[in-house]
Amino acid sequence: MSALEERPAAPAADPAMRWIAGCGFGCLALIVLAIVVVAIAVSWLGREGPPRPEEVLADGRESAAFTVDLRADDPAVVDLLTGFQESAQRVGDAQSPFKVPEFFQRMRREDVRRSLPVRLEYLRWRGEGDAAGPWLTRLTLGQGAWKARMAMRLVGWVMSRGEGSRRETVDGVDLLVIGPKEDNVAATVVSNRVLISRDAALLRRSLDPGGRVGAEPEAAAESATLLAAVAIDGEDGRGYLRPVGALSTPDGAPPIAIAAGSFEIASRDVVRFRVAVRCASAPTDANAAAEALEAWVTAFPRINDVRVVREREPFWLDPATLVIEGRVEGIEGLLGSLFSAKREGAANP
């Protein structure tokens, strides 16, 4: 055959195969595009803003403030949270024909450890008359903070489209406000912190550098001094309360000005506490007042086997301040009773 002779033409590709190949490449391109779009959206929603100092929440006028600080290196905390998760799972197993494999049950402890550290702070102010006062809470996340930022921004974008919702900017921080000026809820995310307030004015004050000066520094100093006096080594939480009304006047003791406490999760079933109760004036009968104040502190709801046990004889820190130490036992049974009540409520609506 001569080199100049034409070779036979290759057979034409089947149109059906060309169509299938085109669809395959098109679907692959769409999948890649969807992955890129989702990755960009997640990165944008979960982005961390410029670093900011922590907000100052207390101003000395709050009637109550509590902090729970859970750490991943505290085995008792991990054990308690694992027990909480197991109690919930037992209720779920009782309501479902499917059982959780043992392999996944062993992963619970590591899942709990990976979710820590977490810090929750809650402050409440007095309202006018008998009305409930405003409150402010802050959740500080260790791992997984980007998920919270992403969720809050997505929810904020959706909620801001609703009637009665608006967005504000305070010191460069976006704030979502829902409701009228007289009765509203505000929320924002700053770095790894989620802040929610029952009154937008409280959140604006905590974010605004010019609004961080305490209105009553003497009251703030008093609560800080009491918290330092009762702090337990390795504490997992602390708080103080300025009771009002009937709560502030136990029988047999002068009116209570402030009570501050510290607690430590000792195990899955035990929480240790130390509380200082400061009266408005020194009692005339110290023994009777000590009994009344101890009863006031240990008045815990009798649920299942939950009980309060004294660890040390109460003592007077000063003529008007009594310190009480003890522990709460039966926490694991309390968790079980809470989930059992939830299961019974679901079964008998």
Side-chain angles (χ1 to χ4, degrees):
M1 178 182 295
S2 171
L4 300 177
E5 292 182 8
E6 295 182 358
R7 296 180 179 178
D14 188 348
M17 294 301 297
R18 288 203 304 270
W19 182 84
I20 293 174
C23 287
F25 284 116
C27 291
L28 181 61
L30 288 176
I31 292 173
V32 172
L33 179 62
I35 292 175
V36 171
V37 170
V38 170
I40 293 174
V42 169
S43 176
W44 180 78
L45 290 171
R47 72 191 187 282
E48 183 173 357
R52 288 175 52 93
E54 277 200 355
E55 305 76 22
V56 177
L57 305 184
D59 62 3
R61 296 177 297 183
E62 64 279 355
S63 60
F66 301 96
T67 300
V68 178
D69 199 350
L70 305 179
R71 306 178 305 277
D73 59 353
D74 190 333
V77 169
V78 176
D79 196 31
L80 177 65
L81 295 180
T82 302
F84 187 86
Q85 195 177 41
E86 290 174 350
S87 297
Q89 187 60 55
R90 281 194 294 269
V91 174
D93 289 345
Q95 296 176 340
S96 172
F98 304 102
K99 304 300 180 183
V100 178
E102 184 66 25
F103 169 76
F104 292 105
Q105 294 183 21
R106 289 195 299 269
M107 292 175 62
R108 287 178 181 150
R109 184 173 295 272
E110 287 305 315
D111 289 341
V112 169
R113 197 185 304 275
R114 281 193 293 268
S115 67
L116 301 174
V118 171
R119 177 187 298 164
L120 177 64
E121 299 161 271
Y122 174 85
L123 296 90
R124 192 173 192 99
W125 284 258
R126 293 192 182 97
E128 297 182 1
D130 296 332
W135 50 263
L136 174 62
T137 184
R138 177 171 62 192
L139 178 65
T140 304
L141 303 170
Q143 305 183 46
W146 68 272
K147 297 179 183 178
R149 289 194 296 269
M150 182 178 67
M152 285 294 294
R153 286 183 176 126
L154 185 59
V155 171
W157 181 83
V158 173
M159 294 295 293
S160 64
R161 268 61 185 167
E163 184 178 356
S165 302
R166 61 189 183 277
R167 303 191 74 90
E168 301 179 5
T169 301
V170 179
D171 194 33
V173 178
D174 290 333
L175 191 66
L176 173 66
V177 182
I178 304 172
K181 181 178 180 180
E182 303 78 15
D183 185 16
N184 56 61
V185 175
T188 189
V189 178
V190 182
S191 185
N192 64 334
R193 306 182 295 277
V194 180
L195 294 98
I196 303 175
S197 173
R198 188 64 177 81
D199 186 347
L202 293 175
L203 198 48
R204 293 191 197 101
R205 178 193 57 76
S206 65
L207 293 171
D208 183 3
R212 293 177 183 167
V213 178
E216 297 184 17
E218 292 184 2
E222 180 185 31
S223 59
T225 300
L226 275 185
L227 286 174
V230 299
I232 298 175
D233 292 338
E235 68 177 6
D236 298 304
R238 70 206 69 88
Y240 55 89
L241 170 70
R242 295 186 177 93
V244 295
L247 186 62
S248 66
T249 54
D251 293 336
I256 297 173
I258 183 173
S262 171
F263 75 85
E264 175 202 14
I265 299 173
S267 69
R268 180 183 293 201
D269 199 52
V270 177
V271 173
R272 296 179 57 244
F273 67 86
R274 183 184 296 150
V275 177
V277 183
R278 175 164 292 172
C279 299
S281 60
T284 55
D285 187 341
N287 292 331
E291 292 181 3
L293 294 175
E294 184 179 18
W296 183 83
V297 170
T298 59
F300 195 86
R302 299 297 184 259
I303 305 175
N304 287 359
D305 294 329
V306 176
R307 57 198 173 277
V308 179
V309 179
R310 176 197 288 181
E311 288 193 338
R312 180 181 177 183
E313 189 76 20
F315 64 93
W316 291 96
L317 186 66
D318 58 51
T321 307
L322 182 72
V323 177
I324 300 160
E325 295 185 27
R327 64 183 184 271
V328 180
E329 300 178 346
I331 301 298
E332 188 172 12
L334 174 62
L335 297 178
S337 66
L338 291 176
F339 284 108
S340 298
K342 179 179 178 182
R343 180 179 61 184
E344 293 172 2
N348 303 296

